[in-house]
Amino acid sequence: GFQIRFASTEIFTPGDTVDALVSMNPAALVTNIADLKKGGILIINTDSFDKKGLEQAGYATSPLEDGSLGSYQTFTVDMTKMTRLAVEGLGLSQKEADRCKNFFAMGLIFWLYDRPLDPTLRYIEDKFGKHPEVAEANRRALNAGYNYGETTEAIANQFHVEKADLKA
């Protein structure tokens, strides 16, 4: 897992709790749910919450169905399926396509917090430019996540974080 921190003021600590958590699978949920503030935003990739994944994470019942996530704003998203659709036609294997899920999730979070895509699109070009099909897949996944946020009615609120006024 990884953590993205941004604020309208300077950040001095890594933080003990988070306002939003994206859980790509049951193991990630069981490992990181304690870091999410009560009332925080929980986005779950439902495609990985199958019987095998739940058992491997030690869940006797699905937390998506047993009410245990009731103290969070929980949103379920078929990220794997939507990412595969976004990168379709690029000739990637299923494993390669699934690696783009992080960019889908990032695009959704960028929409949620009203963040621009341009810096990340430049990063993708810098990092993956020598592999055009991988760069294109990651761009498509990032945009698909952002567009999902714009078009879904499941997530009603969007947040704006002002740019921090910091020394260069």
Side-chain angles (χ1 to χ4, degrees):
F2 61 92
Q3 195 177 101
I4 299 173
R5 299 178 299 140
F6 58 90
S8 59
T9 59
E10 192 167 2
I11 300 170
F12 294 102
T13 65
D16 297 325
T17 59
V18 296
D19 295 306
L21 177 67
V22 177
S23 177
M24 296 303 232
N25 56 56
L29 181 63
V30 78
T31 302
N32 296 293
I33 192 68
D35 295 333
L36 182 60
K37 293 178 181 176
K38 297 295 181 200
I41 297 169
L42 176 60
I43 299 172
I44 294 178
N45 176 19
T46 54
D47 290 323
S48 63
F49 277 69
D50 57 12
K51 183 177 179 180
K52 180 181 176 185
L54 291 166
E55 287 174 358
Q56 287 176 333
Y59 284 110
T61 61
S62 173
L64 302 178
E65 299 168 358
D66 67 7
S68 63
L69 302 176
S71 58
Y72 308 104
Q73 298 177 62
T74 304
F75 304 102
T76 57
V77 181
D78 297 332
M79 279 188 231
T80 304
K81 187 182 305 172
M82 284 193 270
T83 301
R84 289 177 185 168
L85 286 171
V87 304
E88 199 171 64
L90 293 176
L92 299 177
S93 69
Q94 184 172 303
K95 184 177 180 179
E96 290 168 326
D98 288 351
R99 287 184 182 145
C100 299
K101 282 186 302 203
N102 288 338
F103 280 103
F104 183 97
M106 194 178 304
L108 179 55
I109 293 298
F110 283 5
W111 172 83
L112 183 65
Y113 286 100
D114 195 24
R115 307 302 300 169
L117 295 178
D118 290 340
T120 304
L121 290 168
R122 286 192 302 272
Y123 167 81
I124 289 170
E125 185 57 38
D126 291 345
K127 175 86 173 163
F128 303 107
K130 293 180 182 177
H131 306 282
E133 67 285 347
V134 175
E136 179 62 17
N138 286 322
R139 277 192 294 272
R140 286 186 186 187
L142 181 72
N143 283 306
Y146 192 91
N147 292 336
Y148 175 79
E150 278 191 329
T151 59
T152 187
E153 294 179 11
I155 305 173
N157 294 322
Q158 188 179 26
F159 305 93
H160 180 76
V161 178
E162 292 293 330
K163 183 177 178 180
D165 186 21
L166 304 173
K167 293 179 185 177

